[in-house]
Amino acid sequence: MQPNLRPITRETTDVSSAPGDSNADLHRHQESVPLPHGNRADVRKLSFWYGKTQALKEVNLPVVDRKVTALIGPSGCGKSTLLRCFNRMHDLYPGNRYDGEIRLYPEDENLVAIDPGLVRLRIGMVFQKPNPFPKSIYANVAAGLEVRGIKKRSVLDERVERALRHAALWDEVKDRLNGSAYGLSGGQQQRLCIARALAPEPEMILFDEPTSALDPLATAKIEDLVQQLAGEVTILIVTHNMQQASRISDFTAFMLMGEMVEYGNTDQVFTAPEDPRTDQYITGRFG
Amino acid sequence: MEADATRVVASGVRFQRLVAANRRTDIMMASIGILVLMVASALLASVLVDLILTGWPRLINPDFYTNFPSRKPEQAGIISAMVGTALVMLVTAVVSVPLAVAAGIYLEEYAPKNWLSDIIDINVSNLAGVPSIIYGLLALGLFVYGFGLGETILTAGLVLALLILPVIIVATREAIRSIPRDLREAAYGLGADKWQTVSHYVLPAARPGILTGTIVGLARAIGEAAPVITIGALTFIAFLPPPPVQSTPPFVNFDWLTSPFTVMPIQLFNWVSRPQAEFHINAAATGVVLMVMTLAMNGLAIYIRYQLRKHQRS
């Protein structure tokens, strides 16, 4: 596997920081630094405990920038647990403990050791079941921007539209932006949740089995969307569905009982897995 | 082959019996439930009808609602009791709702799960079960004598606020706890901090439950006589407290807080303990007004809850 080594030159579009702001300049400077090995994040020897139960055992995983990395494995293998470490969802519940590192680049920070709020401002998430807020479509997409202190109506309007177009939902909802999000179908609600995650322009988006509650048609739309987004944002996706992983991901990681069994190019993992357990799983002999 | 067929039929019969037995149990449980409900409703209805029939001559007389209490039963009215009840309820609501909702939010969202919060938790639940007269004794010692507030509307409002605090706290906590985990995670996932999550997403969704709990609490407070008697509310008030609003600046006036007062349950209690039968008619009529007020508040709670739920769904 040879991840791309090209430098990251994406301009930050953080409207909350004024031009000339030294922090913003610093940020922009850091953005142009090449990411080590082209990775957006590196999981290193990460262990995780729910109380006394160890759910992750010294897991290692590179997350390549602006590519789709899929996490696969049978139920209870720890793939969702690993995903939820990336935006510190586990911190909402008492008794959980991390050990090890998730290095986030280019800052090279350990994101399981810094403030969880800071992590969640940078890494968005789309959940298993569509979970829009009981508010209007517009308010749902604007929610993340408002959390970041963006209040100017013109900026909100523009970014809400951009996010909805990005999530391939604009044409379906442009005439009823003030209607309740609950009036949308399940698939539309999930695309709304994707738009909501996209609006603040995060560096990475986590998808936790985003299609498991959707019908095949809605699933296909979400899959197309994930592939389209991959060029712009780093995507980590947990999926139960191996066909889905092979269709939409660039890299695949196979987990079993809290351990990382195999990681590689999706083609290689699905056609010539190195570990016999991966082979057994993808050929349907267990799981 | 033949033996197999027999066995299939036999098990079919067995399941038929099982289903029939289950259906009998269902019918029995439903009948018991309907019976209990009918007995309870009939009791309530008979009390109300009895009160209405007894109090009818006074209920249809407009003077009853505009007159002060009197030694002559046919001239006695409930204006001072109604105004007293309204003002006491105002104090109760203003004091109890912000305190209880804040306490509920703290206990549910902020309090660390340790022995201290466990003790607070148990005590809040226990407070809901403390007899109301004990609150009256507390208020007599603390508010009337300790703080020197006297036998005033303020004291009555405060003691009733204490009385219903646990009711509203418990309702607030239940309402917050019923918010699905999904919604909370969605807010946190966007980078919202705790207060943003609570104020923007959790509280609006919990509002119907909190409001219902508040009104149920106030409906309980409105009928309480024991604590108000304990703090020494008068039974014969032939004047109204100073009005809370006035036409000259500063337009609001807080003198009414320190005014002596009476409330509906006390007026009712006073009349019913008189020997003359004519006063009992007044008592019955007061009872009807009090019950209508309570039922109206409960009705309002149901209506608000319905409206808010409808608003959230559509």
Side-chain angles (χ1 to χ4, degrees), chain B residues 44-45 47-48 51 264 286-296:
Chain B
L44 183 68
V47 168
L48 194 57
L51 286 179
M264 304 273 293
T286 312
V288 174
V289 176
L290 193 57
M291 274 183 86
V292 168
M293 279 176 149
T294 315
L295 292 178

Side-chain angles (χ1 to χ4, degrees), chain B residues 245-268:
Chain B
V245 284
Q246 60 191 28
S247 55
T248 52
F251 303 111
V252 283
N253 187 331
F254 290 106
D255 290 346
W256 57 274
L257 284 172
T258 53
S259 169
F261 70 100
T262 191
V263 289
M264 304 273 293
I266 291 181
Q267 189 66 71
L268 194 158

Side-chain angles (χ1 to χ4, degrees), chain A residues 5-61:
Chain A
L5 282 158
R6 70 203 151 85
I8 304 307
T9 49
R10 179 167 64 137
E11 270 288 292
T12 53
T13 45
D14 187 358
V15 301
S16 61
S17 46
D21 181 334
S22 60
N23 277 333
D25 286 344
L26 185 69
H27 201 55
R28 213 166 280 142
H29 171 71
Q30 285 178 340
E31 279 282 339
S32 61
V33 166
L35 297 170
H37 322 296
N39 293 349
R40 177 52 76 170
D42 255 324
V43 182
R44 288 187 198 150
K45 287 196 156 187
L46 182 74
S47 297
F48 180 80
W49 287 264
Y50 289 111
K52 291 206 165 84
T53 319
Q54 187 167 7
L56 295 177
K57 293 166 189 163
E58 303 202 342
V59 167
N60 293 303
L61 175 74

Side-chain angles (χ1 to χ4, degrees), chain B:
Chain B
M1 196 65 210
E2 185 119 348
D4 274 346
T6 326
R7 207 180 302 149
V8 170
V9 171
S11 71
V13 169
R14 189 156 47 89
F15 286 137
Q16 269 173 15
R17 278 192 201 134
L18 191 66
V19 169
N22 287 346
R23 195 172 297 147
R24 271 199 301 280
T25 316
D26 287 346
I27 291 170
M28 205 169 72
M29 288 311 293
S31 322
I32 293 174
I34 290 170
L35 192 73
V36 169
L37 277 177
M38 272 167 52
V39 168
S41 320
L43 277 173
L44 183 68
S46 66
V47 168
L48 194 57
V49 168
D50 184 47
L51 286 179
I52 291 174
L53 290 178
T54 315
W56 189 251
R58 299 301 290 151
L59 279 173
I60 54 166
N61 187 344
D63 288 348
F64 181 65
Y65 305 99
T66 54
N67 280 7
F68 288 103
S70 165
R71 258 181 230 95
K72 299 183 189 114
E74 67 279 3
Q75 283 176 18
I78 55 168
I79 180 72
S80 53
M82 285 201 300
V83 171
T85 288
L87 291 177
V88 169
M89 281 302 115
L90 181 66
V91 175
T92 303
V94 166
V95 173
S96 66
V97 173
L99 269 180
V101 172
I105 292 171
Y106 172 76
L107 287 172
E108 209 49 49
E109 295 284 341
Y110 285 89
K113 300 281 169 273
N114 56 23
W115 60 272
L116 186 64
S117 56
D118 283 348
I119 289 177
I120 295 175
D121 201 0
I122 293 167
N123 272 303
V124 168
S125 312
N126 282 343
L127 279 179
V130 171
S132 56
I133 192 140
I134 306 294
Y135 281 98
L137 288 175
L138 170 87
L140 185 68
L142 191 68
F143 297 144
V144 178
Y145 297 126
F147 298 161
L149 296 179
E151 297 108 10
T152 58
I153 289 178
L154 180 61
T155 309
L158 287 176
V159 65
L160 292 180
L162 280 187
L163 182 75
I164 64 169
L165 262 183
V167 178
I168 308 179
I169 292 175
V170 170
T172 302
R173 297 187 63 181
E174 296 284 334
I176 289 177
R177 212 176 303 158
S178 70
I179 305 306
R181 200 173 118 151
D182 287 12
L183 190 82
R184 228 178 270 268
E185 290 193 348
Y188 281 116
L190 282 173
D193 59 31
K194 190 167 260 184
W195 178 241
Q196 284 170 330
T197 304
V198 170
S199 62
H200 288 40
Y201 302 105
V202 175
L203 278 187
R207 208 165 40 196
I210 295 174
L211 223 59
T212 309
T214 302
I215 296 176
V216 168
L218 288 176
R220 180 182 165 192
I222 205 173
E224 280 292 342
V228 193
I229 289 175
T230 318
I231 61 165
L234 300 178
T235 53
F236 193 92
I237 296 280
F239 57 89
L240 289 182
V245 284
Q246 60 191 28
S247 55
T248 52
F251 303 111
V252 283
N253 187 331
F254 290 106
D255 290 346
W256 57 274
L257 284 172
T258 53
S259 169
F261 70 100
T262 191
V263 289
M264 304 273 293
I266 291 181
Q267 189 66 71
L268 194 158
F269 177 69
N270 173 253
W271 278 334
V272 88
S273 48
R274 299 278 189 97
Q276 301 96 314
E278 292 87 344
F279 277 116
H280 297 174
I281 297 174
N282 285 351
T286 312
V288 174
V289 176
L290 193 57
M291 274 183 86
V292 168
M293 279 176 149
T294 315
L295 292 178
M297 285 176 85
N298 282 318
L300 184 70
I302 293 167
Y303 176 76
I304 290 172
R305 190 173 43 191
Y306 174 74
Q307 284 298 325
L308 283 175
R309 293 236 167 106
K310 201 172 74 175
H311 184 70
Q312 279 179 1
R313 293 280 171 270
S314 62

Side-chain angles (χ1 to χ4, degrees), chain A residues 101-170:
Chain A
E101 300 185 322
I102 300 179
R103 307 301 306 188
L104 187 63
Y105 303 116
E107 289 85 353
D108 198 15
E109 286 172 316
N110 179 8
L111 67 76
V112 296
I114 62 177
D115 183 74
L118 213 59
V119 177
R120 295 184 199 126
L121 286 168
R122 298 178 55 181
I123 300 181
M125 181 153 179
V126 175
F127 296 81
Q128 195 166 351
K129 248 174 55 192
N131 58 352
F133 299 122
K135 299 189 172 200
S136 72
I137 292 167
Y138 184 96
N140 264 280
V141 185
L145 302 170
E146 272 155 9
V147 161
R148 286 156 181 81
I150 301 171
K151 291 197 184 81
K152 219 173 144 194
R153 188 74 196 190
S154 57
V155 178
L156 287 176
D157 283 350
E158 189 237 313
R159 293 186 62 170
V160 165
E161 177 175 344
R162 198 196 309 165
L164 282 169
R165 283 188 189 282
H166 236 115
L169 193 60
W170 175 253

